[in-house]
Structure formats: C-alpha cells, structure tokens
Amino acid sequence: SDLQTGGAIGKEYSFSTPSGDYYATVNSVHRLPLEDTDLLAADITITNKSSETLSIPNFTGKFVLDQNVEVTGSIVRFDKVIGIQPKSSISLQLYARIPYTYDFSEVKTVLQEKQEDDKVVDLIEFTHNSDLSSIRTIALNQKYYLNVVGKRANIGVRKVQTFESATANIFSVEMTAENLEKRFSNIASLHAYFETDTGLLYPANVEVSENKVAPGGTALVNFWKQLPKSIDTSKLKLVVGEAIVGDDGKNTGNYVNPVAYVLLKEDNTVATDLKSLELYPYTISISNIRTQINYENWDVLVTFNYELNKNLLVESKSDDHKLVLEVSDTEGKIKFSEEFALSGDKALELGQNKGEFKKSNSDLISQIQTLKDYNLNVYHQFQSGQRKLIASKKIRWFTTTD
C-alpha cells in the first residue's frame, strides 16, 4: 500500500495489510520524564470500519529525530482483546527511551508491521515538531476515566496528607479508583511523580492492595514520597500514567497516557472530639479513657473503649499505617505512646472493643501530687514513624472520660 504521511494530531490515516483495511489516528506524542532518561510515547488508535472482525497486525515502530537519528520503539497494548470488532477500535502505545539532555526540533513517528518472515514494513509516518503534546490536566474534584478494556476505572484525588518526622516529611496523595467493569478486577498498574513549581521531579511510591476489586467497588491508591522539608507541598502537582508491565509481570519503569492532577489543599484540622476519626478506609471512635497507677511497679495504665469500622467496599493496603495514642502531660512531666496496627496479626479488632497500654515510670513518685491534665493525642502514623496529628483531647489525670 502507498505509505500515508502527515502531521496533524487527531487526523485519520489509512493503511492496508493482507488482512484488510485499517485506519490509524495519532492522539498525542509526549516527551515524559523518567528518573535519568526521557520517554517518547505516541498514543495511537487503530480502527476497523468494515463489517468483519480484523486480526491485529504484529505492530512495531520507531521514532526518527531530526530526520536522521532512529530510535527503535516498543509497542504496548493495554486492551485485552484478540481482534478488532467491526466498527470498533483498539489503542496502542509506541514508546522509546532517549537521553533527557537530548534536544531535537522534529520527531517522526513511524508505525510498522513485523511480517512472518521478520520483514518490517512501514504503515504510516507522522511528522511532528518538537512542541509535543502537553499533559492533560484533571481539575479539582474531577475524575480521570481510565478507558482500558478489562480495567476501566474512574480515578480521582481523595485526600492530601503530610506525615512529619524530625528529619523529613512524607507527602501522600490518597486516590480512589472505582472499578467500572462488570467483574472483579485488579486496578491498572499506575506510575506517578510529583513535580514542583520549579520543575523538580520526585518519582512517587505507589501503595495499593493486590486484591481484586468488586464491580462498583473502590481501590485506595496512595502515592507518596519522602521530601525535603524545604519543599512547598501546596504547589506540587501529581502526574499519573499507566505503568508498562513486562511479560514477566514486573514493572518496566516506563509509563504512558499521563494526566496531571490539581491537588486539594491539605486539611490540617485537629479534632478535639475522639469520635469517628478517619484513617481511611477505617474510622475509629475512642471513649471511656481512664488513667490509673499500679503502685507495685509504678506503671501508668491507660484503658479505653473503642469502636473500629471499615468500609468493606474499599480495597486498601494498610500494613504501613498505624494508629498512635500518646499521653502527654500538659506541663511536660510525662509523655509516652503506643502504636496499634490496623491490619495483620496484632491489629485492633473491628467492632466495639477494649484497649490498653502502660508505661513504667519510677519518677512518678515525686510527681503524683502535682499532676493535673494531660492531652490524649491521636496520630495517623505511616511508614517508619512519620506522623500526622488528627485529634487531641485534654483530660484530667486519674479520671474517666465519657
């Protein structure tokens, strides 16, 4: 067939193979940052306009920079389909790594077919100047519709949190991915990075449950990164793309189809009431808090009732999240805390239960007459001890609260 060439994004080009006639549209060409290289990625739609199902050609491709530097590309298809139905389309991604320092003024995207004798035939050529597609922005409170057959989902930002420690903070963006498939399904593998207003890039860690999500159910996806305290997190944006997983099931570190989320302002309200505190998808209420002293070994014992609930339609990975209760004397005389797991062997139990923790303190003998009030501080702890204060209640020593 005659090779069709062009340069308009969104324009349709046709090509033929022995299997039939196909139409191709290049939707975008992005240059995306990776840790120490860049990724060129073209998003291409292949359409079958005939009334019969067409086989999917063995696509391959390349990029040509400034008419003479050829970069061999790889093809990935996220759609789990084995043919192109009549009057329908599939999407594929052509991608290749290039040095991030490399500048070019023109890129040619070449879609090819690898034939049975390993001969490679050019199908369409598409020339584009270096002013590549910009990353689509998802506005505040909007969701991104991930349109991948078998993994369709609506993905939106739920909450922004900073967990603090003496040396570095963890910045975390909680997102929900709602499964729009009619079956239990894993959420698509995602890749993300934080970008500062000065263009610094921080690849994000991804925390997500391995469990399949029920139809209409939700997965909690947490993107997080330990950041220097000097960074103004209110100016960060989060770029999320579909991670490319190799044949061995491992993440290749490459990604395509990125979108940039505008992030909510962080809510730093500290509750003074210990009811319905949220460590999503859990909520906990704490009551009947009592401090007492065991005079035999000078233990301070704290007992309490709690009610722990979990939204059972949300799949989440909670191993690195803990509830921390801290007793802190208002005059600084005594301070101690206890961590409680939310999932795993020694976790707090769902429903209404009793809990306790204690601290040995022989200095109490001299102070016991002067103790007045303490704060019961409740923290959401993440990773290796970074904390966010979510509630604090002032209580008189040796009394029992409601």
Side-chain angles (χ1 to χ4, degrees):
S1 65
D2 292 337
L3 181 69
Q4 284 215 331
T5 61
I9 282 215
K11 187 176 170 212
E12 197 170 63
Y13 303 93
S14 61
F15 64 89
S16 300
T17 75
S19 306
D21 297 331
Y22 300 81
Y23 295 84
T25 307
V26 178
N27 305 308
S28 63
V29 181
H30 284 114
R31 181 172 185 166
L32 304 171
L34 289 169
E35 290 194 18
D36 49 5
T37 57
D38 276 358
L39 200 64
L40 277 176
D43 176 39
I44 303 169
T45 301
I46 307 291
T47 303
N48 170 15
K49 295 189 176 180
S50 74
S51 53
E52 290 174 16
T53 299
L54 289 178
S55 62
I56 300 173
N58 184 9
F59 288 117
T60 178
K62 65 181 178 182
F63 296 100
V64 184
L65 308 179
D66 291 338
Q67 299 178 6
N68 58 11
V69 179
E70 288 203 4
V71 188
T72 305
S74 304
I75 292 276
V76 63
R77 278 193 8 245
F78 292 105
D79 295 338
K80 299 284 178 265
V81 293
I82 53 176
I84 312 178
Q85 301 278 347
K87 310 281 189 282
S88 69
S89 305
I90 61 164
S91 58
L92 48 98
Q93 318 288 331
L94 172 66
Y95 68 94
R97 290 189 177 202
I98 58 170
Y100 81 92
T101 51
Y102 190 83
D103 287 328
F104 55 86
S105 55
E106 176 191 283
V107 57
K108 185 159 70 179
T109 303
V110 185
L111 183 65
Q112 302 168 310
E113 181 187 21
K114 193 174 189 178
Q115 298 181 332
E116 285 179 1
D117 55 5
D118 277 352
K119 190 172 154 212
V120 173
V121 181
D122 291 356
L123 300 174
I124 58 163
E125 273 184 12
F126 173 94
T127 305
H128 203 72
N129 63 16
S130 66
D131 179 21
L132 298 177
S133 312
S134 56
I135 293 177
R136 196 176 123 212
T137 297
I138 307 296
L140 215 56
N141 300 322
Q142 297 296 306
K143 290 183 165 43
Y144 167 55
Y145 172 53
L146 182 73
N147 188 9
V148 173
V149 176
K151 296 195 183 281
R152 279 180 283 241
N154 270 336
I155 303 176
V157 176
R158 191 184 168 277
K159 195 173 193 179
V160 169
Q161 298 181 94
T162 303
F163 299 92
E164 298 186 351
S165 72
T167 48
N169 292 346
I170 286 178
F171 185 66
S172 142
V173 177
E174 262 183 16
M175 304 188 83
T176 52
E178 181 195 357
N179 177 17
L180 301 177
E181 295 291 338
K182 294 189 172 76
R183 299 189 176 200
F184 277 80
S185 153
N186 283 106
I187 293 302
S189 297
L190 300 171
H191 173 102
Y193 62 87
F194 293 109
E195 186 172 351
T196 67
D197 53 343
T198 57
L200 294 176
L201 303 178
Y202 291 92
N205 301 294
V206 185
E207 179 189 51
V208 64
S209 169
E210 311 279 307
N211 297 339
K212 285 188 159 63
V213 180
T218 298
L220 187 67
V221 185
N222 183 23
F223 295 108
W224 63 275
K225 186 70 179 174
Q226 192 162 305
L227 296 173
K229 289 198 166 210
S230 57
I231 286 182
D232 180 357
T233 54
S234 70
K235 297 198 171 118
L236 287 180
K237 69 177 177 189
L238 176 69
V239 177
V240 180
E242 293 165 54
I244 297 174
V245 177
D247 295 335
D248 58 0
K250 291 197 172 73
N251 202 324
T252 62
N254 300 311
Y255 65 101
V256 291
N257 290 345
V259 291
Y261 283 91
V262 176
L263 298 178
L264 309 156
K265 265 182 77 75
E266 180 167 3
D267 180 359
N268 287 316
T269 312
V270 177
T272 51
D273 178 7
L274 306 184
K275 290 187 177 67
S276 302
L277 303 176
E278 184 184 81
L279 291 85
Y280 194 78
Y282 296 90
T283 51
I284 190 164
S285 297
I286 302 170
S287 59
N288 290 95
I289 302 151
R290 183 179 179 200
T291 42
Q292 49 196 318
I293 287 182
N294 175 343
Y295 288 99
E296 280 177 23
N297 45 12
W298 291 99
D299 282 344
V300 185
L301 178 67
V302 185
T303 57
F304 57 95
N305 294 353
Y306 70 90
E307 182 174 353
L308 182 68
N309 294 308
K310 182 179 186 216
N311 182 336
L312 298 175
L313 281 175
V314 178
E315 290 293 345
S316 66
K317 188 165 186 259
S318 303
D319 315 2
D320 292 328
H321 296 263
K322 292 190 168 65
L323 175 83
V324 175
L325 298 183
E326 177 183 69
V327 169
S328 178
D329 181 71
T330 51
E331 293 175 10
K333 292 173 180 168
I334 301 175
K335 189 175 186 175
F336 61 97
S337 64
E338 187 76 22
E339 296 176 12
F340 298 91
L342 295 165
S343 61
D345 297 342
K346 296 181 178 172
L348 295 172
E349 291 181 39
L350 293 176
Q352 295 184 341
N353 300 281
K354 293 187 183 327
E356 64 171 58
F357 60 105
K358 64 184 176 188
K359 169 79 172 166
S360 297
N361 190 338
S362 52
D363 299 342
L364 277 174
I365 305 169
S366 59
Q367 297 179 346
I368 195 150
Q369 302 302 326
T370 60
L371 292 176
K372 294 192 185 83
D373 299 305
Y374 67 93
N375 288 318
L376 185 75
N377 296 324
V378 183
Y379 295 92
H380 178 174
Q381 179 173 295
F382 181 47
Q383 287 295 319
S384 54
Q386 282 87 353
R387 295 175 176 181
K388 175 163 179 152
L389 181 65
I390 56 174
S392 181
K393 186 178 176 81
K394 188 172 169 183
I395 304 170
R396 278 200 80 75
W397 279 101
F398 315 121
T399 61
T400 304
T401 69
D402 295 341

